[in-house]
Amino acid sequence: ARRVPDNGTPVADSQYSYDEENRLTAVRRVSDNALLQEIRYDALSRRVETLDYTDPTTGVVSTTPVRTRHIYNGLKVIQEYTVTGSGGGQVSTLAREFIWVLKRGHEQFSK
């Protein structure tokens, strides 16, 4: 079960937490207070890490999150890596790559 469907409308069973800069930091399920997602930011307010505690195929909540690291070139995200393992045994796998192009004087995002 997705917490925010593709249409962007939040699901009623979710509670959203924000920090002092009004950035989303956590999503919890209201019915049992289960942590569904955590988001971490750097000093430039860039999202640098997302921890998803919900299995995307089954919707089951786990205590071991899927960790995604977001890589930037300046203020533009250019890559996302899925990180598995812990401590010195971490393995990063490229999950997505983003390309920014200049078209008619405006920067545009392209997947």
Side-chain angles (χ1 to χ4, degrees):
R2 293 184 64 143
R3 290 160 312 283
V4 179
D6 289 335
N7 67 8
T9 305
V11 175
D13 189 35
S14 297
Q15 176 184 14
Y16 302 90
S17 298
Y18 299 87
D19 65 12
E20 60 280 347
E21 294 185 31
N22 204 29
R23 299 175 299 195
L24 180 65
T25 57
V27 179
R28 290 186 175 276
R29 187 168 48 214
V30 173
S31 59
D32 61 0
N33 202 36
L35 182 60
L36 304 175
Q37 187 177 68
E38 287 181 284
I39 302 170
R40 298 180 180 156
Y41 302 87
D42 66 9
L44 298 176
S45 290
R46 299 177 301 189
R47 178 180 56 175
V48 293
E49 187 172 59
T50 303
L51 292 90
D52 284 304
Y53 292 87
T54 306
D55 184 301
T57 56
T58 65
V60 174
V61 177
S62 171
T63 56
T64 305
V66 172
R67 183 180 308 265
T68 303
R69 296 238 171 98
H70 310 277
I71 309 300
Y72 291 81
N73 179 8
L75 296 176
K76 297 176 188 78
V77 66
I78 58 171
Q79 295 174 327
E80 291 180 347
Y81 285 87
T82 301
V83 181
T84 55
S86 61
Q90 289 187 352
V91 176
S92 297
T93 305
L94 182 64
R96 293 196 301 175
E97 196 165 33
F98 303 91
I99 299 170
W100 293 88
V101 294
L102 189 62
K103 287 190 176 181
R104 293 190 182 155
H106 299 283
E107 264 188 328
Q108 181 177 339
F109 164 73
S110 174
K111 277 190 180 179

